[in-house]
Amino acid sequence: MIKIAPSLLAANISKLGEEIKKIEDYSDMLHIDVMDGHFVPNISFGVPVVAGLRKITSMQFDVHLMIENPLKYIESFAKAGADIITVHIEAPDNAMKCIQLIKSLGKKAGIALNPDTPPEKIKYLTDDIDMVLQMTVFPGFGGQSMEKQALANIPKIREMIGGKKDLQADGGIYAENCGKLVGLGVNVIVSGTGIFGQKDSAAAAKEIRKAAISGEAR
């Protein structure tokens, strides 16, 4: 099943409530990037933002922790309203402990990997996670082009996790290239600039879904 996840990173920071209302009827989840300025060179949303947004929408919150010590913050984000919490295999904290904590809090757990990380590094986690996030750009900034190595990883990951679990891609994704990703095995499309960066974000979300479904039908 194709799922569309607009990335809040590209939304107008001064009008987050309005931005979310525009796309919530045309999306399956809201992708919220959390950056600490250490694991990645940028800083973005934190627990108070997630908690504040939880009060204005019933959208599923897909919280992507791009931080050095996820174990320290998982519970806080769960209490703030996250529905899915994804941690990076490259983070120093033990990935299995992170996944177990997320699941113990009643949330769905995801594992993310950067474009240059071999998919084999997450193989031991595949029975315990609900979703894999393949970064198609190096995390930290929006508006980048997709990395070829990440595209090569996607079919390997899909084979590894089977057909029922979610495989998400994030980075450089627009209506014109999301069909290719779906053809490789992705079913959850994250797009920031491709949705919030467009004049009509609702129309952009609908167009990306249409293009993704076309890729699925190939």
Side-chain angles (χ1 to χ4, degrees):
M1 177 185 173
I2 297 297
K3 300 176 185 179
I4 305 302
S7 177
L8 197 65
L9 195 63
N12 184 336
I13 194 74
S14 68
K15 300 178 179 180
L16 289 183
E18 293 176 35
E19 294 274 72
I20 291 169
K21 290 298 180 184
K22 289 177 184 176
I23 56 87
E24 63 182 353
D25 291 336
Y26 309 102
S27 309
D28 301 283
M29 58 184 76
L30 183 68
H31 188 81
I32 304 173
D33 286 314
V34 176
M35 302 186 238
D36 62 359
H38 299 283
F39 183 73
V40 292
N42 208 346
I43 297 174
S44 66
F45 311 109
V47 171
V49 172
V50 174
L53 295 178
R54 183 76 288 167
K55 296 174 183 177
I56 65 165
T57 182
S58 61
M59 285 188 79
Q60 188 174 54
F61 282 0
D62 168 31
V63 176
H64 175 198
L65 301 183
M66 291 183 274
I67 61 179
E68 278 194 349
N69 302 115
L71 272 173
K72 184 177 178 181
Y73 296 99
I74 285 168
E75 187 170 359
S76 295
F77 279 104
K79 288 179 178 178
D83 298 291
I84 306 168
I85 300 176
T86 298
V87 299
H88 268 263
I89 192 66
E90 300 90 359
D93 284 348
N94 182 281
M96 182 60 84
K97 287 183 179 179
C98 290
I99 299 302
Q100 289 171 341
L101 177 57
I102 294 166
K103 303 285 273 190
S104 74
L105 295 166
K107 308 299 180 179
K108 290 186 176 181
I111 191 70
L113 64 161
N114 290 337
D116 58 349
T117 298
E120 292 74 21
K121 287 202 170 182
I122 66 166
K123 190 172 183 178
Y124 76 104
L125 297 166
T126 54
D127 288 340
D128 298 284
I129 49 90
D130 299 288
M131 182 175 74
V132 175
L133 166 53
Q134 172 65 66
M135 291 300 301
T136 42
V137 300
F138 287 96
F141 298 94
Q144 301 179 62
S145 298
M146 287 193 289
E147 295 284 336
K148 291 181 180 178
Q149 182 56 55
L151 301 182
N153 288 347
I154 291 169
K156 298 176 184 177
I157 295 170
R158 175 51 74 193
E159 183 177 2
M160 194 183 297
I161 65 175
K164 294 183 179 180
K165 293 191 177 186
D166 285 334
L167 175 47
Q168 184 178 68
D170 179 10
I173 303 175
Y174 300 86
E176 56 266 29
N177 61 16
C178 68
K180 179 179 180 180
L181 291 168
V182 172
L184 292 171
V186 169
N187 73 298
V188 185
I189 302 292
V190 178
S191 182
T193 307
I195 295 178
F196 285 122
Q198 305 303 304
K199 184 177 288 188
D200 186 336
S201 55
K206 288 191 281 186
E207 184 62 25
I208 284 181
R209 186 184 299 279
K210 180 181 176 181
I213 291 172
S214 296
E216 187 179 38
R218 288 176 192 169

